[in-house]
Amino acid sequence: MQDAPAEARVFVGIDVAKHSFDVALLPGEQSVSLTHNDVGLQQLLEWLRPWGSCFVVLEATGGLEHRLTGELIDAGHQVAVVNPRQVRDFARGCGKLAKTDRLDALILAKFAQQVQPRLVEKASEKQLELAALITRRRQLQAVVVAESNRRDPAGSPQTRRSIDKHLTWLRKEVAHMDATITRLIAADDNWRGQAQRLESVPGVGPTTSATLVAELPELGRLNRREISALVGLAPYNHDSGGLRGKRSIWGGRANIRSVLYMAALTARRCNPLIRTFAERLQQAGKPFKVVLTACMRKLLTILNVLTKNNQVWCPKLPS
């Protein structure tokens, strides 16, 4: 990812839906609604062509934005994909409470103009495939947890047999996903090397490394503060006047935090650097959640340095 260039003067917001997308352009507040298919994509590129390179903002919509993003980047536009919550908060701050597709596109264009969020790079087909597999594995694992929680309260033996049968199938599917993800990473030299470096750190397993490879391509390319803020592990102040409130984390990529949480729990036991760090915080009287969040941030910093320097874990690495 990179910062928005200063020369961008035409700002475009695109509100993406399954069957259509609305486009708004600033300055001028021009807008158009197009069908989300090959014809609509071509019409969009033709509509933007007279303006040269535009700064385009789309919301993350669970994958519907991927093709649009790639096509726009290939056409020479600068593209940012942002969290919908940020845009909605921005709209409220501007006093825009109404919500339609056309208004959302205009708000996105104003967000692009005034905020100029970080640009994204085009993801390869293999990157999108790996991310889709990771997402599917996460969905299956969530169902495994839900079914496991239902089993014990189930009063009927027949109900339990049904749940056991479903759990058996689900676990086979998770294992199949794991094998597919492993083969895909092993087939790419860069991914394989990165996964090996990440898994050399005590506490980091294949699931964590695969998720980082798929969903955190910025790892190793940002400094420790930037990568912590991107994932949502940077503590933010909560002070006002004489009040000194508790620092808390906010925003970021929840899926990355989830795998780092489990990795940090393991690292507290088997990683000497993280264990010493956690013990020092505990002795200082820090609550469990504060200690574990700090361990997650510490672990992420280590992984970021190893990826940046193409190193494997060494217990004597400077903290």
Side-chain angles (χ1 to χ4, degrees), residues 3 13 15-17 55 89 93 95 137 154 156 160-161 170 187 192 215 219 243 247 250 257 273 283 291 305 307 315:
D3 291 329
D15 183 67
V16 186
F55 189 98
D89 290 344
R137 185 197 184 279
S156 166
R160 290 188 179 183
R161 284 194 296 270
L170 286 168
R192 184 172 65 252
E215 299 183 344
L219 192 67
L243 170 68
R247 276 50 177 163
W250 181 258
R257 287 199 304 277
L273 197 155
Q283 291 171 2
V291 173
V305 171
T307 302

Side-chain angles (χ1 to χ4, degrees), residues 89-165:
D89 290 344
F90 175 80
R92 293 191 185 99
C94 295
K96 306 294 184 182
L97 303 182
K99 193 178 188 308
T100 67
D101 293 342
R102 182 181 177 278
L103 287 175
D104 286 349
L106 183 58
I107 287 294
L108 283 166
K110 290 182 178 179
F111 186 87
Q113 185 181 50
Q114 298 182 29
V115 179
Q116 296 197 15
R118 286 181 176 273
L119 302 178
V120 298
E121 297 176 358
K122 183 181 179 182
S124 66
E125 292 296 327
K126 286 179 64 178
Q127 187 83 34
L128 293 175
E129 181 183 2
L130 180 60
L133 289 170
I134 293 291
T135 299
R136 183 55 183 160
R137 185 197 184 279
R138 187 161 49 240
Q139 293 167 345
L140 290 168
Q141 191 60 42
V143 181
V144 168
V145 173
E147 285 287 69
S148 298
N149 291 338
R150 295 185 186 108
R151 188 186 185 282
D152 288 340
S156 166
Q158 186 173 351
T159 301
R160 290 188 179 183
R161 284 194 296 270
S162 174
I163 292 174
D164 289 339
K165 183 178 179 181

Side-chain angles (χ1 to χ4, degrees), residues 35-264:
T35 306
H36 198 166
N37 55 23
D38 293 342
V39 175
L41 287 170
Q42 189 59 40
Q43 290 173 340
L44 171 65
L45 297 179
E46 291 295 332
W47 192 70
L48 295 178
R49 194 183 306 278
W51 303 99
S53 179
C54 303
F55 189 98
V56 186
V57 167
L58 308 89
E59 290 179 328
T61 53
L64 292 176
E65 77 283 358
H66 287 161
R67 186 182 177 189
L68 262 175
T69 299
E71 295 282 353
L72 288 165
I73 292 174
D74 285 343
H77 299 289
Q78 302 135 14
V79 183
V81 179
V82 299
N83 189 319
R85 177 186 54 78
Q86 290 179 288
V87 181
R88 189 84 304 241
D89 290 344
F90 175 80
R92 293 191 185 99
C94 295
K96 306 294 184 182
L97 303 182
K99 193 178 188 308
T100 67
D101 293 342
R102 182 181 177 278
L103 287 175
D104 286 349
L106 183 58
I107 287 294
L108 283 166
K110 290 182 178 179
F111 186 87
Q113 185 181 50
Q114 298 182 29
V115 179
Q116 296 197 15
R118 286 181 176 273
L119 302 178
V120 298
E121 297 176 358
K122 183 181 179 182
S124 66
E125 292 296 327
K126 286 179 64 178
Q127 187 83 34
L128 293 175
E129 181 183 2
L130 180 60
L133 289 170
I134 293 291
T135 299
R136 183 55 183 160
R137 185 197 184 279
R138 187 161 49 240
Q139 293 167 345
L140 290 168
Q141 191 60 42
V143 181
V144 168
V145 173
E147 285 287 69
S148 298
N149 291 338
R150 295 185 186 108
R151 188 186 185 282
D152 288 340
S156 166
Q158 186 173 351
T159 301
R160 290 188 179 183
R161 284 194 296 270
S162 174
I163 292 174
D164 289 339
K165 183 178 179 181
H166 193 201
L167 282 171
T168 300
W169 180 85
L170 286 168
R171 286 168 178 148
K172 286 182 180 178
E173 283 297 301
V174 171
H176 173 69
M177 283 293 162
D178 286 337
T180 304
I181 290 167
T182 299
R183 286 196 301 268
L184 188 59
I185 291 177
D188 186 284
D189 292 339
N190 292 330
W191 287 351
R192 184 172 65 252
Q194 184 180 1
Q196 289 171 350
R197 288 189 290 273
L198 297 176
E199 291 176 34
S200 71
V201 180
V204 177
T207 300
T208 301
S209 68
T211 303
L212 293 173
V213 169
E215 299 183 344
L216 194 63
E218 300 86 358
L219 192 67
R221 298 164 59 183
L222 304 176
N223 64 40
R224 62 186 180 88
R225 292 184 178 87
E226 291 171 334
I227 198 70
S228 296
L230 183 64
V231 173
L233 288 173
Y236 292 101
N237 294 349
H238 185 65
D239 301 335
S240 179
L243 170 68
R244 294 295 178 266
K246 293 182 179 179
R247 276 50 177 163
S248 60
I249 60 175
W250 181 258
R253 301 183 184 177
N255 296 331
I256 302 297
R257 287 199 304 277
S258 295
V259 295
L260 286 176
Y261 179 90
M262 300 306 298

